Amino acid sequence: MEDNMSLEIKNICCIGAGYVGGPTMAVIANKCPSIKVTVVDINERKIANWNSNDLTKLPVFEPGLDLIIENCRNKNLFFSTNLQDAIANADMIFISVNTPTKTRGVGAGKASDLKWVEESARKVVKYAKGKTIVVEKSTIPVRTAEAIKLILDTSNKSDEYKQEFSVLSNPEFLSEGNAIRDLEKPDRVLIGGDDKKSVKSLVDIYKRWVSPEKILCTNIWSSELSKLAANAFLAQKISSINAISGLCEKSGANIKEVAKAIGMDSRIGSQFLNAGPGFGGSCFKKDILNLIYLSEFYKLPEVAEYWEKVLEINNWQQNRIIEKIVSTLFGTLSGKKITILGFSFKANTNDTRESPSIKICKDLLREGANLSIYDPKVDSEQIERELNSKNLENLSKEINGSWEFNRSIYDAVEDSLGIVVLTEWDEFKSINWNKVSKLSNDPIWLFDTRNICNVNEASRNNIMVWSIGL
Ligand code: UDX
Ligand code: UDX
């Protein structure tokens, strides 16, 4: 009987107040008013912004998030830099820190860097008291739970705090821009672990708003691998449709018609069939690299090569967009003004990690273009950071072009020769092309890499159009 009972969770701590930790904990707090949720982060500025009275300053932009924060903050949802107290008081600790791709050492360029996860586990050992359930929320390579367990096992169980740990895997499947909807109405919740009592404690939390048949319990390794595999399948679907978009352009087929025709087959499904400038975001590339690393580690080179192709097509798609822009504008961009509409990696988020806009802008700058960039949610400091990113090759010495930030579409397009739409923001669907045509004396090209613009209206206003896959 005792075995089936779960530990009642009264206090949750989440380490990492980023794109995953912030929204996930906000939804848990909103759905579970009796649980006190504390989100901690080493970044003081980020925590100050989570606590700001001005809700436009929240570090993460997600539709619907501000209302939840307003409702729960300082009632049962707290943002703090006091890791020690939050860990000491917690019955359950989510680890939601970033796990970037390693830049040096064994597995560099492919394996995930787990130093923050490790660091978090060490903090848990240092400060936890009593029975504590540790939940991996960060995307991590298969068998990371083992590493976390090893670190937790170094704790002195006979000490005054009577530490006892159990580790669960509970991968996030939220898609940025739709995070609140995905968290409130998930397709499934996946929980991996073999300690039944701890698993039940976490199931009991989700059961407050998710129907039980959608809560899937597996062994810990299946849960970890499912996360990587789900993202790899989604990314593969995008590379597949992007590969077909190239074929459409050569053969006279229309990618929108093809996507509709194949998507109506319920075995394929209509989602994730939008051709575009390639996938971005913090997960897809990193998770596929992880899968490649794992496949190589387990001596499965054919499997590694299979997933490598998904990344290759993604690069190819971006390169051919750049080549198209250069060749259309007569082989040179030197001194030409080009407008970039959209810098985030997808609509409805201010996240720019791995955004296709970064590579495309850098290559256009290398060609000598003068870029005029507009995005409704990304500010110029963030664009500056991405275009001069220290992790990438130092561009500043070699670039010939320049870039400026604009606060509206129409400021950005003035006197442009080319307009490149890179993110599918709603406001780009209803651009006033008549107004745009009057803002330039020269012929203007529109490069619609997301197939969202009213291209008939643009053509009627003498704007020349190139659309992906058409
Ligand atoms: C998520 C996943 O958790 C990660 O595995 C995946 O690779 C990317 O998506 P995300 O929430 O998007 O991470 O990352 P980010 O927005 O960078 O937030 C992580 C936060 O953890 C940062 O605010 C960082 O300051 C914080 N952090 C990091 C800590 O508080 N402590 C640390 O030791 C390290
Ligand atoms: C993804 C997964 O969807 C989510 O389940 C996981 O937990 C985290 O990673 P996210 O990266 O936030 O979420 O966004 P997603 O909607 O998956 O889009 C990823 C990229 O693919 C974006 O750059 C998007 O523009 C692109 N994309 C998506 C396409 O190019 N075409 C499509 O049809 C769909």
Side-chain angles (χ1 to χ4, degrees):
M1 187 63 201
E2 170 73 7
D3 270 1
N4 293 328
M5 280 171 61
S6 56
L7 179 76
E8 198 200 337
I9 304 299
K10 297 197 183 92
N11 280 292
I12 288 179
C13 161
C14 173
I15 309 178
Y19 283 91
V20 172
T24 307
M25 292 304 123
V27 169
I28 291 182
N30 200 29
K31 298 289 181 185
C32 310
S34 61
I35 299 179
K36 181 181 172 194
V37 180
T38 307
V39 193
V40 289
D41 202 292
I42 44 173
N43 184 330
E44 284 177 18
R45 189 163 154 228
K46 197 173 262 189
I47 291 297
N49 284 337
W50 278 112
N51 282 321
S52 168
N53 286 331
D54 177 357
L55 293 173
T56 64
K57 291 220 170 85
L58 295 181
V60 172
F61 169 74
E62 277 293 341
L65 176 63
D66 48 356
L67 284 180
I68 299 181
I69 298 292
E70 198 170 31
N71 189 27
C72 301
R73 197 174 53 193
N74 298 331
K75 288 183 192 140
N76 68 327
L77 175 64
F78 300 86
F79 293 93
S80 161
T81 50
N82 189 341
L83 199 84
Q84 178 169 352
D85 283 1
I87 291 177
N89 292 327
D91 317 302
M92 183 177 271
I93 299 173
F94 286 81
I95 299 185
S96 226
V97 294
N98 37 334
T99 50
T101 304
K102 276 182 89 171
T103 51
R104 64 179 76 160
V106 179
K110 285 183 187 155
S112 277
D113 192 337
L114 293 176
K115 69 176 171 197
W116 303 124
V117 171
E118 214 185 299
E119 175 76 15
S120 304
R122 293 192 197 286
K123 290 274 160 46
V124 171
V125 171
K126 194 165 174 194
Y127 301 127
K129 292 181 184 167
K131 164 94 186 166
T132 313
I133 301 171
V134 177
V135 186
E136 308 170 333
K137 196 59 155 164
S138 301
T139 310
I140 28 92
V142 184
R143 305 203 83 92
T144 302
E146 222 164 42
I148 297 182
K149 265 189 190 138
L150 270 176
I151 295 171
L152 298 178
D153 283 347
T154 61
S155 66
N156 182 358
K157 293 202 175 89
S158 62
D159 71 7
E160 59 175 306
Y161 297 134
K162 297 196 170 41
Q163 291 187 329
E164 193 191 329
F165 296 109
S166 100
V167 181
L168 303 179
S169 156
N170 173 220
E172 52 84 13
F173 292 107
L174 61 88
S175 131
E176 286 177 31
N178 302 310
I180 302 302
R181 194 198 60 197
D182 289 347
L183 287 161
E184 288 182 340
K185 289 192 172 52
D187 284 352
R188 79 316 208 169
V189 169
L190 184 55
I191 300 173
D194 43 22
D195 172 7
K196 290 199 175 68
K197 219 166 153 180
S198 302
V199 169
K200 186 163 184 312
S201 298
L202 188 53
V203 169
D204 285 346
I205 292 178
Y206 283 111
K207 260 185 16 199
R208 299 193 196 195
W209 76 97
V210 180
S211 57
E213 69 276 8
K214 289 195 169 174
I215 304 178
L216 207 64
C217 298
T218 66
N219 81 32
I220 204 154
W221 326 125
S222 302
S223 169
E224 289 179 339
L225 183 58
S226 300
K227 170 63 201 270
L228 296 183
N231 272 351
F233 269 56
L234 291 169
Q236 177 266 352
K237 206 168 174 189
I238 299 170
S239 278
S240 296
I241 201 71
N242 284 342
I244 300 295
S245 76
L247 215 46
C248 283
E249 287 162 31
K250 298 282 182 199
S251 65
N254 176 320
I255 194 66
K256 291 201 265 189
E257 292 174 353
V258 174
K260 185 163 186 197
I262 62 177
M264 284 171 78
D265 185 326
S266 58
R267 293 167 303 175
I268 296 173
S270 59
Q271 292 188 52
F272 268 67
L273 285 179
N274 293 319
F279 53 78
S282 71
C283 283
F284 283 179
K285 184 174 167 197
K286 179 173 68 66
D287 291 353
I288 292 180
L289 285 171
N290 234 311
L291 213 49
I292 294 170
Y293 181 71
L294 269 177
S295 309
E296 286 171 349
F297 180 82
Y298 288 116
K299 307 266 181 297
L300 299 166
E302 292 80 4
V303 179
E305 273 168 38
Y306 174 77
W307 290 111
E308 253 159 26
K309 287 288 168 209
V310 172
L311 294 180
E312 272 176 35
I313 289 288
N314 206 47
N315 284 335
W316 168 81
Q317 184 77 342
Q318 290 173 13
N319 286 335
R320 72 185 195 86
I321 287 171
I322 294 154
E323 279 161 22
K324 187 75 204 176
I325 297 169
V326 176
S327 66
T328 304
L329 296 175
F330 310 108
T332 175
L333 300 184
S334 194
K336 292 180 179 169
K337 180 170 174 185
I338 311 280
T339 298
I340 301 293
L341 295 184
F343 203 84
S344 58
F345 80 98
K346 63 186 277 197
N348 293 323
T349 176
N350 57 349
D351 192 348
T352 55
R353 288 175 291 180
E354 298 291 339
S355 175
S357 303
I358 301 170
K359 178 179 164 48
I360 292 176
C361 285
K362 281 186 171 179
D363 279 10
L364 296 179
L365 287 170
R366 273 193 199 98
E367 293 285 339
N370 297 328
L371 302 181
S372 156
I373 305 176
Y374 168 74
D375 186 287
K377 288 289 171 199
V378 181
D379 59 28
S380 69
E381 288 76 30
Q382 198 170 336
I383 296 173
E384 169 71 36
R385 272 198 300 277
E386 293 288 17
L387 293 182
N388 291 308
S389 170
K390 288 194 186 107
N391 291 331
L392 299 163
E393 73 257 65
N394 188 353
L395 263 180
S396 48
K397 290 193 198 94
E398 56 175 287
I399 53 169
N400 303 310
S402 63
W403 68 273
E404 61 173 20
F405 176 74
N406 289 94
R407 295 197 179 279
S408 88
I409 298 174
Y410 303 99
D411 286 345
V413 297
E414 199 171 349
D415 291 326
S416 275
L417 295 173
I419 300 171
V420 189
V421 175
L422 289 175
T423 314
E424 75 284 21
W425 285 103
D426 265 349
E427 62 186 273
F428 303 154
K429 296 176 184 166
S430 51
I431 292 175
N432 182 338
W433 292 107
N434 181 262
K435 188 170 170 184
V436 170
S437 70
K438 290 185 178 135
L439 288 169
S440 183
N441 291 322
D442 294 297
I444 310 172
W445 270 93
L446 163 64
F447 300 90
D448 183 3
T449 72
R450 295 275 188 176
N451 279 336
I452 52 153
C453 295
N454 186 342
V455 289
N456 292 336
E457 192 58 28
S459 300
R460 261 197 295 280
N461 285 287
N462 298 321
I463 291 168
M464 291 163 289
V465 178
W466 176 82
S467 302
I468 200 117
L470 301 183

